[in-house]
Amino acid sequence: MRLLSYIYFLITSTRNWLYDKRYLKINEIPDVDILCIGNITVGGTGKTPAVQFFTKKLLKMGRKVAIVSRGYRGKRKIDPMIVSDGKKILVTSRESGDEPYIHALNLKVPVIVGRNRYEACKLAVEKFGVDTIILDDGFQHRKLKRDRDIVLIDATNPFGWGALLPKGTLREDFQKGGERASEFIITKSDLISESDLETLKRFLKVKFKKSVSVAKHGVTSLCDIKGNAKPLFWVTGKRVLLFSGLANPLNFEKTVISLNPEYIERVDFMDHHDFKEKDFDVIKKRAKAMNADFIITTEKDLVKLPKKLEIDNLFVLKIEFTMLEDNSLKGFGEINEK
């Protein structure tokens, strides 16, 4: 693993150096502000709710916003592809990928996916006349120039076990990535102690001389699969089975623990898992064996469930990104103003 991580380090470092020196082309889109929400580690930092938070924040600033994403694991014949025109969802979650589909469900802005983010952004401008684009999970996508790179740092594992893939979860060298970031947001801050949080804040501020914000991912509601909200206290004192396809399912468990269930078990799938009916044979057997009162999954996983799903007591936990210390987007309103 160490050798493979070193090879990965050489590849990513060389690639970044070539972009830094402009030996590799960086495409620009004039008269549009591009805000990237990304991370240095693989998954688990809470990008999806963060993208939605900043979309709402920019809309309140009077911006005309679109979201552009790679659409990871989306199975589509057209690329780039419009997921939503801001009024209506035009494709399925299997075509778009799960995160873009969640954005389309929760936000009234255009959502576009494309492996070539430059072409996807051009489509957003040409089709919808937007003045601001949020690039979802694009920090390592160096082909496109951004006006600001917001890097999310998972408080529960900020440095990716101190190693690059596959030994750790770093996508690139943390030092170099941190230098390229415009600002940081420490996410899931409520899952660590106050002293550890202060240490992490101080490290980022001193090391990189960049703005640092602090956020948590709080539970907003418990819904059935039809979207009907239920009281959160239903979980208190109950036996709960969790299932998800997340990069870090432990944080999902910690969130549910905050609702004070009597007992919890988990069934974990790979990140971005595409659920099949056979998966629910496993889930149902596990729920029966532990005498579960409720089966709970995430909003991200909900969009990938089979349409004709027969399973009792299935609920979805909805999470909201909440800033506890908001130092983000300072000066962003002046970008591109003449």
Side-chain angles (χ1 to χ4, degrees):
M1 286 291 188
R2 182 177 296 177
L3 177 60
L4 291 175
S5 292
Y6 182 68
I7 293 171
Y8 189 82
F9 167 77
L10 290 177
I11 292 170
T12 55
S13 297
T14 301
R15 177 178 175 273
N16 280 325
W17 182 83
L18 290 171
Y19 275 114
D20 291 340
K21 298 298 182 181
R22 294 300 178 105
Y23 292 121
L24 293 177
K25 184 180 179 181
I26 299 177
N27 296 301
E28 298 185 31
I29 300 179
D31 302 319
V32 176
D33 292 333
I34 298 180
L35 170 69
C36 174
I37 309 292
N39 54 19
I40 302 176
T41 58
V42 176
T45 57
K47 287 187 298 296
T48 301
V51 167
Q52 295 183 20
F53 170 86
F54 280 102
T55 300
K56 294 172 184 176
K57 183 170 183 172
L58 287 164
L59 288 172
K60 289 180 180 178
M61 291 168 61
R63 296 301 188 101
K64 193 172 183 180
V65 184
I67 298 171
V68 168
S69 171
R70 178 188 173 190
Y72 180 67
R73 295 190 70 174
K75 299 177 181 178
R76 55 187 177 272
K77 295 180 181 179
I78 301 172
D79 196 273
M81 183 179 70
I82 298 172
V83 178
S84 170
D85 60 7
K87 298 177 181 177
K88 184 179 180 181
I89 298 175
L90 306 174
V91 301
T92 67
S93 62
R94 293 185 186 278
E95 292 173 294
S96 66
D98 47 9
E99 285 97 344
Y101 197 82
I102 293 172
H103 297 325
L105 281 173
N106 292 327
L107 300 166
K108 297 299 182 182
V109 299
V111 179
I112 298 173
V113 293
R115 283 179 287 276
N116 186 324
R117 258 61 67 90
Y118 173 64
E119 293 297 331
C121 288
K122 284 204 304 180
L123 179 59
V125 175
E126 293 166 3
K127 187 74 175 179
F128 302 105
V130 299
D131 56 36
T132 307
I133 293 172
I134 295 184
L135 194 63
D136 181 5
D137 193 16
F139 188 55
Q140 283 73 36
H141 187 76
R142 301 293 307 275
K143 292 181 180 180
L144 180 66
K145 182 180 182 297
R146 283 85 73 149
D147 298 283
R148 187 156 304 192
D149 277 298
I150 296 180
V151 171
L152 308 183
I153 304 291
D154 179 359
T156 65
N157 184 17
F159 309 115
W161 311 116
L164 274 72
L165 293 165
K167 183 180 179 183
T169 60
L170 288 174
R171 291 175 163 182
E172 59 178 298
D173 178 70
F174 191 92
Q175 171 73 27
K176 293 297 183 182
E179 290 172 356
R180 202 169 71 251
S182 304
E183 59 182 88
F184 299 98
I185 300 176
I186 301 172
T187 65
K188 304 179 182 178
S189 63
D190 53 321
L191 299 181
I192 63 172
S193 68
E194 288 188 14
S195 61
D196 286 345
L197 176 60
E198 288 302 318
T199 298
L200 180 56
K201 283 169 55 181
R202 185 164 56 251
F203 169 80
L204 293 172
K205 288 178 180 179
V206 172
K207 184 73 173 177
F208 299 108
K209 307 294 190 297
K210 307 283 178 68
S211 173
V212 178
S213 300
V214 178
K216 70 173 185 177
H217 291 71
V219 181
T220 59
S221 62
L222 184 72
C223 299
D224 62 25
I225 57 174
K226 294 181 180 179
N228 301 309
K230 306 296 179 183
L232 291 174
F233 66 75
W234 273 22
V235 179
T236 302
K238 296 295 192 297
R239 299 176 68 83
V240 177
L241 176 66
L242 310 179
F243 76 88
S244 64
L246 301 173
N248 191 347
L250 180 58
N251 282 343
F252 177 38
E253 181 179 356
K254 288 178 180 178
T255 301
V256 177
I257 286 173
S258 69
L259 301 177
N260 298 312
E262 177 192 338
Y263 179 71
I264 286 182
E265 288 188 15
R266 280 192 349 236
V267 179
D268 299 335
F269 297 88
M270 294 293 291
D271 194 19
H272 296 278
H273 181 70
D274 189 9
F275 289 94
K276 308 294 184 185
E277 290 188 12
K278 64 180 181 180
D279 295 323
F280 289 91
D281 292 335
V282 176
I283 293 168
K284 288 176 182 178
K285 287 179 182 178
R286 186 76 168 270
K288 185 177 180 180
M290 64 169 284
N291 194 25
D293 296 297
F294 298 121
I295 300 172
I296 299 179
T297 190
T298 71
E299 190 175 17
K300 174 182 172 181
D301 295 296
L302 173 65
V303 301
K304 296 178 291 182
L305 303 186
K307 289 185 178 180
K308 296 180 180 179
L309 181 62
E310 296 182 3
I311 184 167
D312 296 328
N313 294 329
L314 175 60
F315 293 91
V316 180
L317 198 66
K318 293 197 173 185
I319 306 295
E320 184 176 68
F321 182 92
T322 303
M323 284 285 205
L324 302 178
E325 297 178 29
D326 191 355
N327 299 304
S328 65
L329 296 189
K330 290 183 177 179
F332 189 77
E334 288 75 45
I335 294 175
N336 281 344
E337 289 189 1
K338 295 180 180 180

